[in-house]
Amino acid sequence: MAEDAEVVKNKQVLLKDYVTGFPKESDFIISTENTISLKVPETSSGVLLKNLYLSCDPYMCLLMQNPDSNSIKESLASYTPGSPITGFGVAKVVDSRNPKFKEGDLVWGPTGWEEYSLIDQLDSLFKIEHTDVPLSYYTGLLGMPGMTAYSGFYEVCNPKKGEKVFVSAAAGAVGQIVGQFAKLTGCYVVGSAGSGEKVDLLKNKFGFDDAFNYKEELDLDAALKRHFPDGIDIYFENVGGKTLDAVLLNMKRYGRIAVCGLISQYNLDKPDGVHNLSSVLFKRIRMEGFAVFDYYHLYQKFLDIVLPYIREKKITYVEDITEGLESGPAALVGLFSGRNVGKQAIEVAHE
Amino acid sequence: MAEDAEVVKNKQVLLKDYVTGFPKESDFIISTENTISLKVPETSSGVLLKNLYLSCDPYMCLLMQNPDSNSIKESLASYTPGSPITGFGVAKVVDSRNPKFKEGDLVWGPTGWEEYSLIDQLDSLFKIEHTDVPLSYYTGLLGMPGMTAYSGFYEVCNPKKGEKVFVSAAAGAVGQIVGQFAKLTGCYVVGSAGSGEKVDLLKNKFGFDDAFNYKEELDLDAALKRHFPDGIDIYFENVGGKTLDAVLLNMKRYGRIAVCGLISQYNLDKPDGVHNLSSVLFKRIRMEGFAVFDYYHLYQKFLDIVLPYIREKKITYVEDITEGLESGPAALVGLFSGRNVGKQAIEVAHE
C-alpha cells in the first residue's frame, strides 16, 4: 500500500522557459518545493530512483529550445518549462514495480535532474553489474558517451589499422574515448580542443599522436594540412560548421565522417553554410549521422571490450565532477563555453 | 608493318583554353588539321577506334577548368588546352594490338572527341555483345549513365519496396533510369526537372508517380512537403546547392542520399553554402558520394537485369542525339542550360 510510504523533499532543477541560443545559469531554477513518495505508485510499473550522478551532455541544449522553432529537431522531445530537466544519470533503485530491477540495484540511463525520480520508461535503463570501476564512469566512459564513441567509431567508421583519424572536441566526454579507441586500433589520431590544458591532456594523457588548439589556428584548413599532409580517412564530427568545411577539403578518397554532434551550431538560428560538400562526391565520402540508441544492443559486447582495457589501464578517462544538484546549471552551461575539462558530471548524492 | 597503314584525316573537337564557369561554344575549336594512321603503332598495345557516338556528360565541365583552381577536384585529370577533349563513346575497333579486342568489335568506354582515337588504356573499355538494342544506348542506358543509376540506386541507397524516392535532374541521362528502377522496386518516386516538357516525360513516359518543374517553385521546401508529406527515404542527388538544402529538411529518419552529381555547383567559384546538415545528425542520414568506376565489376549483372527490361519494354529511354562531330560543342554546352531533353549524345559516324 502506498499509504505508509515515506514522503521526502525532492530538490529539482527546473527549466524556467525555452532558451534561445546557448543556455545561461539564469535559465534554471533550483526548486525545493517538491516532495516525492519513495514508493512506486500502484499505477506504474516503473522504478523509483535515488540519483547519484547526473551527466551534462551537449544535446541537452537542443531540448531547451522551443520545439516549434526548428523543424529539423522534430525528433527530439523538448523539455517542459517549469518542469525538471532530464538527462542521463547513475542512480540507486529505492523501489521497483518492475521485475528487471530490485531495491538496491545500481542503474544508469535516463533520469531527472532532481534528487529522486520516478521512471516509467525502462527500455534504456541498464543495470550496473561492475562496480570495481568508478561509479561515475557510467555517466561517461561506460555509459552513453562511451557507447557513442564505440558505435560511432567502430560501427559507423569501420576503421582499419594505419588509417588517419581526426577528432574534434577531442577532450570531451566522447572525443577522449574515440582517440584512445583509434590508438588501440593502430590508427594515427589527431584531436582538436579549445585550450592548451586540453591539448596537453590529449597528447600526454590520452595518447593522441598530436593535437591542436583550434582557437589558436587562424586557418583550420592549413592546420589540418599540417597534421594530415596525406589527408584524413576518418573524421569523428562533434562540432560542425567551419571545422566540417575545413575537414571536407582534407578528406581522403573513401573517407568516412561519423556525425556525432554539431555543438558549434546548436545555438544558431541559421546554421553556418557548409561550402565544400563537393568533396563528398569527388572523394566518394560517406557521411553518416548516428544515434547511440540504435546500438544499445551492443552494450554487453562494448563492456566485454572496455572493462578489461580499464582494468589493464589501457584506457583512461578524465572527468570534471561538481558537487551537489545546485551546481548543475553552472556545470551544464559551462559545456558550451568549453569550461569543463573532460566529462562533465554532477555528484548529487553519495551511494 | 606500319608503313603501309592507311592515313586519314581526323576531325577533332579541341578545347581552346581552360574554362571559367560553364563552357560556351566558343571555348571549342573544330580542327580538321589532324591525320591519323588506321593501324595501332607497334609501340602500343591498344586499339584504334572509329568513333560512332560520343556522350555529353555534366562531369566534363569540371575537366575544362584549370586544375589549379580547385583543390577539391584534384582527383580529376583536366583536359589539355589545344588537345581534343575526351569522354565516353561507342566505337568500332579498326585495328587492335590487344588480345581482348579484334577488328570489327563494337565497344563502349573512354574515347576522344574526334573521328578516330588511339586508345591505350583499355581497363574500362567494354565489348558490346548485344546489338538488338540501339547502339546509342551504350552511351546512356547501357553505358556509364546506366551503370551510374544502377550502382547509385541499388548499391548505395539500398532501396526497399514502398520507400519514397526523390530524383533531381530526373529527365537526364541518369535520372530517368533511377526513376524507372524505383518504380520497378515498388517505390513511390517524384522527379524534378527544368521544363514542362521534361515534367511531362517524367509523368507520362517514365512512369514517375509525380514530377515538378523546379523553376516554377518559389519555395523548394514547400514543393517537397507537398509531394512528400511524410518525408523522403531516398534522395538521388544530381544537382546540389539549394535543392540539397531543401531536401535535407524533408528527409526521413534513416534516409539515404546518393551523391551522384552537383551540376548546379560546377560553375561556381565558391559553392553555395548548405545550411541544413544538422538533419544528417538528427535524422541519422547516410550521405554518400560514389563513382561508377567502383562498380564496373557489376556490369554483367546489370546487363542481365536491364536487357530483359528493355526487350520487355519495362524500361524506356529518351535520347537527344545530334548529328556530326561539329554539333558536339553546342550539344555539350546545352547540357548546362538544360536544353537537351533526355540523354545527350552525338552521332559521329554510321557503323
Side-chain angles (χ1 to χ4, degrees):
Chain A
M1 295 292 287
E3 294 167 29
D4 58 354
E6 187 185 356
V7 172
V8 297
K9 286 220 166 202
N10 190 22
K11 204 183 294 177
Q12 298 179 313
V13 177
L14 313 179
L15 182 67
K16 202 183 284 180
D17 199 358
Y18 289 128
V19 171
T20 307
F22 285 137
K24 308 174 297 296
E25 280 187 63
S26 59
D27 290 320
F28 303 91
I29 299 168
I30 308 289
S31 163
T32 54
E33 290 173 20
N34 201 261
T35 58
I36 190 167
S37 160
L38 293 186
K39 287 278 175 201
V40 177
E42 286 180 19
T43 52
S44 163
S45 56
V47 291
L48 197 288
L49 300 181
K50 178 184 181 185
N51 292 311
L52 306 177
Y53 291 96
L54 292 172
S55 174
C56 297
D57 294 295
Y59 79 89
M60 297 169 73
C61 161
L62 298 168
L63 309 192
M64 297 172 205
Q65 297 170 7
N66 189 326
D68 299 335
S69 69
N70 193 332
S71 65
I72 295 179
K73 298 166 195 152
E74 64 202 358
S75 58
L76 302 170
S78 285
Y79 296 139
T80 306
S83 292
I85 64 172
T86 58
F88 287 84
V90 170
K92 190 169 199 167
V93 176
V94 173
D95 186 36
S96 171
R97 293 182 61 90
N98 186 289
K100 273 180 66 189
F101 301 97
K102 65 174 195 305
E103 190 186 328
D105 279 351
L106 290 166
V107 295
W108 73 266
T111 190
W113 275 45
E114 53 196 347
E115 290 173 294
Y116 296 92
S117 296
L118 175 67
I119 303 294
D120 285 313
Q121 284 293 328
L122 307 183
D123 293 347
S124 42
L125 196 67
F126 292 88
K127 199 183 290 193
I128 294 174
E129 312 275 7
H130 305 274
T131 53
D132 60 322
V133 294
L135 207 50
S136 56
Y137 275 16
Y138 290 93
T139 67
L141 176 53
L142 292 173
M144 185 276 284
M147 269 302 288
T148 300
Y150 178 81
S151 52
F153 185 63
Y154 288 111
E155 298 292 317
V156 177
C157 295
N158 190 24
K160 290 170 205 66
K161 189 179 168 180
E163 287 194 315
K164 307 283 193 287
V165 177
F166 177 55
V167 187
S168 55
V174 176
Q176 54 175 302
I177 311 174
V178 173
Q180 294 180 83
F181 282 158
K183 287 314 298 172
L184 288 164
T185 309
C187 298
Y188 176 86
V189 60
V190 176
S192 66
S195 74
E197 180 185 5
K198 292 178 185 175
V199 167
D200 184 62
L201 272 181
L202 293 176
K203 291 200 277 195
N204 299 317
K205 186 157 182 82
F206 303 129
F208 282 61
D209 293 288
D210 214 336
F212 64 89
N213 180 348
Y214 71 89
K215 291 178 180 169
E216 290 180 350
E217 299 291 343
L218 289 176
D219 182 342
L220 277 173
D221 177 38
L224 291 169
K225 285 191 166 48
R226 200 170 69 231
H227 287 287
F228 297 99
D230 302 321
I232 299 166
D233 294 292
I234 289 175
Y235 174 44
F236 198 98
E237 166 68 297
N238 286 312
V239 301
K242 290 178 179 59
T243 305
L244 176 58
D245 232 356
V247 167
L248 283 166
L249 291 175
N250 289 282
M251 289 298 287
K252 285 171 80 165
R253 193 178 281 184
Y254 305 119
R256 288 136 276 154
I257 300 177
V259 185
C260 173
L262 299 164
I263 194 171
S264 77
Q265 307 295 297
Y266 291 164
N267 64 327
L268 304 178
D269 261 359
K270 185 175 171 67
D272 290 337
V274 171
H275 295 270
N276 297 321
L277 281 174
S278 57
S279 280
V280 170
L281 173 60
F282 296 125
K283 296 177 181 172
R284 312 175 203 174
I285 290 168
R286 175 163 56 83
M287 180 154 120
E288 192 165 338
F290 72 101
V292 64
F293 321 110
D294 290 334
Y295 298 92
Y296 271 176
H297 60 285
L298 301 176
Y299 185 61
Q300 189 55 52
K301 185 178 167 194
F302 161 80
L303 283 183
D304 291 345
I305 293 170
V306 176
L307 279 169
Y309 280 151
I310 297 174
R311 290 170 186 146
E312 296 160 19
K313 301 199 187 311
K314 287 185 177 164
I315 280 189
T316 188
Y317 200 59
V318 170
E319 303 177 300
D320 192 334
I321 300 182
T322 64
E323 288 282 330
L325 196 59
E326 298 82 355
S327 70
L332 183 53
V333 165
L335 275 187
F336 303 101
S337 59
R339 201 171 56 192
N340 58 308
V341 177
K343 167 64 195 172
Q344 181 72 63
I346 305 151
E347 185 166 6
V348 179
H350 296 288
E351 192 185 336
Chain B
M1 296 292 288
E3 295 168 28
D4 58 354
E6 187 185 357
V7 172
V8 297
K9 286 219 165 205
N10 190 21
K11 201 184 296 178
Q12 299 179 313
V13 177
L14 313 179
L15 181 67
K16 202 184 284 181
D17 199 355
Y18 288 129
V19 170
T20 306
F22 285 139
K24 308 174 299 296
E25 280 188 63
S26 59
D27 290 320
F28 304 92
I29 299 166
I30 308 289
S31 163
T32 54
E33 290 173 19
N34 200 260
T35 59
I36 190 167
S37 160
L38 293 186
K39 287 278 177 203
V40 177
E42 287 181 18
T43 51
S44 163
S45 57
V47 292
L48 198 288
L49 300 180
K50 178 183 182 185
N51 294 312
L52 305 177
Y53 292 96
L54 293 173
S55 175
C56 298
D57 294 294
Y59 78 89
M60 298 168 72
C61 160
L62 298 169
L63 309 192
M64 297 172 203
Q65 298 170 7
N66 189 327
D68 299 334
S69 70
N70 192 333
S71 64
I72 295 179
K73 297 165 195 152
E74 63 202 358
S75 57
L76 302 169
S78 285
Y79 297 139
T80 307
S83 291
I85 65 171
T86 58
F88 287 83
V90 169
K92 191 170 200 165
V93 176
V94 173
D95 186 36
S96 172
R97 293 181 62 87
N98 185 291
K100 273 181 65 188
F101 301 98
K102 64 175 197 300
E103 188 185 329
D105 280 351
L106 291 166
V107 294
W108 74 267
T111 190
W113 276 45
E114 54 196 347
E115 290 174 296
Y116 296 92
S117 296
L118 176 65
I119 303 294
D120 286 313
Q121 283 295 327
L122 307 181
D123 293 345
S124 43
L125 197 68
F126 292 89
K127 200 183 287 193
I128 293 174
E129 312 275 7
H130 306 274
T131 54
D132 60 323
V133 294
L135 207 49
S136 55
Y137 275 16
Y138 291 92
T139 67
L141 177 52
L142 293 172
M144 184 276 284
M147 268 303 286
T148 300
Y150 178 81
S151 51
F153 186 64
Y154 288 111
E155 298 291 319
V156 178
C157 294
N158 190 24
K160 290 170 205 68
K161 188 177 170 182
E163 287 195 314
K164 308 284 192 287
V165 178
F166 177 56
V167 187
S168 55
V174 176
Q176 55 176 298
I177 311 173
V178 173
Q180 293 180 83
F181 283 157
K183 288 313 298 172
L184 288 163
T185 309
C187 297
Y188 176 87
V189 60
V190 176
S192 66
S195 75
E197 181 184 7
K198 291 177 187 177
V199 167
D200 184 62
L201 271 181
L202 293 176
K203 291 200 277 195
N204 300 317
K205 186 155 183 87
F206 302 129
F208 282 61
D209 293 286
D210 214 335
F212 64 89
N213 180 348
Y214 71 89
K215 292 178 181 169
E216 290 180 350
E217 299 291 344
L218 289 177
D219 182 342
L220 277 173
D221 177 38
L224 291 169
K225 285 192 166 45
R226 199 169 69 233
H227 287 287
F228 296 98
D230 302 319
I232 299 166
D233 293 293
I234 290 175
Y235 174 44
F236 198 97
E237 166 66 298
N238 286 312
V239 302
K242 289 178 180 57
T243 305
L244 176 57
D245 232 357
V247 167
L248 283 168
L249 290 176
N250 289 281
M251 290 297 288
K252 285 171 80 165
R253 193 179 280 185
Y254 306 118
R256 289 135 275 155
I257 300 177
V259 185
C260 174
L262 299 165
I263 194 170
S264 76
Q265 306 296 297
Y266 291 165
N267 64 328
L268 303 178
D269 261 358
K270 183 174 170 68
D272 290 336
V274 171
H275 295 270
N276 298 321
L277 281 174
S278 56
S279 280
V280 170
L281 172 60
F282 297 125
K283 296 176 179 171
R284 312 173 205 179
I285 291 169
R286 175 163 56 85
M287 180 154 123
E288 192 166 338
F290 71 101
V292 64
F293 320 110
D294 289 334
Y295 297 92
Y296 272 176
H297 59 284
L298 300 176
Y299 185 61
Q300 189 55 51
K301 183 178 168 194
F302 162 81
L303 283 183
D304 291 345
I305 292 170
V306 175
L307 278 169
Y309 280 149
I310 297 173
R311 289 168 186 146
E312 296 161 17
K313 301 200 190 308
K314 288 185 178 165
I315 280 189
T316 186
Y317 201 60
V318 170
E319 301 177 303
D320 191 336
I321 299 181
T322 64
E323 288 281 330
L325 196 59
E326 298 81 354
S327 70
L332 183 53
V333 166
L335 275 188
F336 302 101
S337 59
R339 199 170 59 195
N340 57 308
V341 177
K343 167 65 198 172
Q344 181 72 63
I346 306 150
E347 184 165 9
V348 179
H350 297 290
E351 193 186 337

